[in-house]
Amino acid sequence: MQPSVRKRPSSGLRAAMFMCSRSASSAETVLPKLRFHLDLWLSFTVQNWVLDVGRPVVMLVLPANLFPLNRPGAAELLHVLYSVTAPLILLKMLERSPRILPLPIVHLGIIFIVMGTSFHLVAESIRCRLVLIGYELHLSVRENPVMKELRPSSLIDVFEFVFHFDDSLGHLMWYVPLFLILLLFFSGCFCRRTQVDRMTPAAWTLLVPNTTYYWFLVTEGQTFILFLFTFFAMAATVMHQRGRGLVPDSNGLFMLHR
């Protein structure tokens, strides 16, 4: 009997098998499993509405005069929680971003955000207590009758200095890193045209409160310029990625719509 001879695949067949396995592995790398980051966007929504928009509501229910003026009230405690949760959520967002920044840049961005929210916390707390003794919010510091009665008059410069940190430097240190992190995360929220990825019902549900919140920020006048910059940057990113055959995934569509 002749020994059985095991036939080896031809070179052409081996090459085809190699190319198929290579294309399959590369497809798994390039086309990851898509999912909507519900926990991330839900945390953003709860934080913005409860810890930010909810502060004026808490001040109506539990006004500052119910607490000692030299101690933090209920609204200040919510502001402190916001200063803690905001960096944590943004760090979680950076962990899930396909694009990774150098650690020194990440650390500086988080430090700026914490400092910006801290400036805002101090200035808002002082302004809230001044209102209790007759301070008028629609007037500037020097035009307020309460401030004109201060002695020595150089104390007005001190209050102007504090509010300057909140109105200019504090807002820049908070909103600029925030929008840059959102842009970085958005640049990685794209998929191939062959991958069907639509917004889930949960995404459409969260879209309403998120859109309302950002509309509130823009109409308030704090972030109008940054909002325009972010909008045009997102539009440019979409056009650039379309040229590469990529379209926004469910997270990218959520960020565009809101």
Side-chain angles (χ1 to χ4, degrees):
M1 293 180 62
Q2 294 182 354
S4 59
V5 179
R6 185 177 181 181
K7 293 185 179 181
R8 300 178 61 184
S10 62
S11 59
L13 181 58
R14 291 199 303 270
M17 293 170 60
F18 174 75
M19 293 300 295
C20 289
S21 61
R22 184 175 180 180
S23 62
S25 62
S26 64
E28 292 176 358
T29 303
V30 175
L31 304 176
K33 185 178 179 180
L34 303 175
R35 70 184 185 93
F36 180 72
H37 299 299
L38 177 61
D39 57 336
L40 194 63
W41 301 122
L42 181 60
S43 301
F44 257 118
T45 305
V46 173
Q47 173 196 256
N48 293 333
W49 278 97
V50 175
L51 301 182
D52 191 10
V53 181
R55 287 201 303 270
V57 179
V58 171
M59 291 178 64
L60 292 176
V61 179
L62 299 172
N65 55 10
L66 294 180
F67 305 88
L69 293 182
N70 59 348
R71 293 292 184 270
E76 282 80 21
L77 294 179
L78 290 182
H79 207 153
V80 171
L81 288 176
Y82 183 90
S83 301
V84 174
T85 58
L88 293 177
I89 295 175
L90 292 176
L91 281 174
K92 180 62 66 175
M93 175 176 284
L94 288 174
E95 289 178 3
R96 298 186 184 180
S97 175
R99 299 179 181 270
I100 302 176
L101 288 175
L103 281 180
I105 297 179
V106 174
H107 293 164
L108 284 176
I110 297 301
I111 290 172
F112 283 164
I113 289 174
V114 173
M115 290 181 64
T117 54
S118 301
F119 290 158
H120 188 58
L121 169 61
V122 173
E124 281 295 310
S125 301
I126 294 175
R127 190 179 286 113
C128 176
R129 280 149 180 77
L130 287 176
V131 170
L132 296 178
I133 59 175
Y135 186 86
E136 300 181 24
L137 295 175
H138 65 280
L139 297 177
S140 64
V141 177
R142 292 191 177 274
E143 294 175 352
N144 260 275
V146 175
M147 293 299 176
K148 292 179 181 179
E149 297 176 1
L150 286 178
R151 294 294 180 270
S153 59
S154 57
L155 285 175
I156 299 178
D157 298 328
V158 177
F159 283 98
E160 281 189 332
F161 176 72
V162 172
F163 294 152
H164 171 74
F165 264 74
D166 175 37
D167 296 333
S168 57
L169 189 59
H171 281 90
L172 286 177
M173 294 181 70
W174 159 233
Y175 287 116
V176 171
L178 170 65
F179 280 91
L180 289 179
I181 291 174
L182 291 176
L183 280 177
L184 176 69
F185 185 80
F186 177 75
S187 63
C189 296
F190 287 84
C191 61
R192 297 289 181 183
R193 294 179 185 273
T194 55
Q195 290 179 289
V196 179
D197 193 27
R198 297 289 184 267
M199 288 180 59
T200 62
W204 286 109
T205 304
L206 290 178
L207 187 63
V208 176
N210 275 270
T211 304
T212 306
Y213 175 75
Y214 281 98
W215 173 83
F216 164 74
L217 289 183
V218 172
T219 54
E220 194 181 16
Q222 298 179 355
T223 60
F224 181 71
I225 297 177
L226 283 175
F227 176 81
L228 287 180
F229 169 78
T230 306
F231 172 77
F232 287 115
M234 284 185 173
T237 303
V238 170
M239 290 187 291
H240 173 71
Q241 297 286 34
R242 282 185 181 274
R244 301 174 54 193
L246 301 175
V247 294
D249 63 5
S250 57
N251 296 284
L253 290 173
F254 178 79
M255 296 182 71
L256 281 174
H257 283 88
R258 72 174 190 163

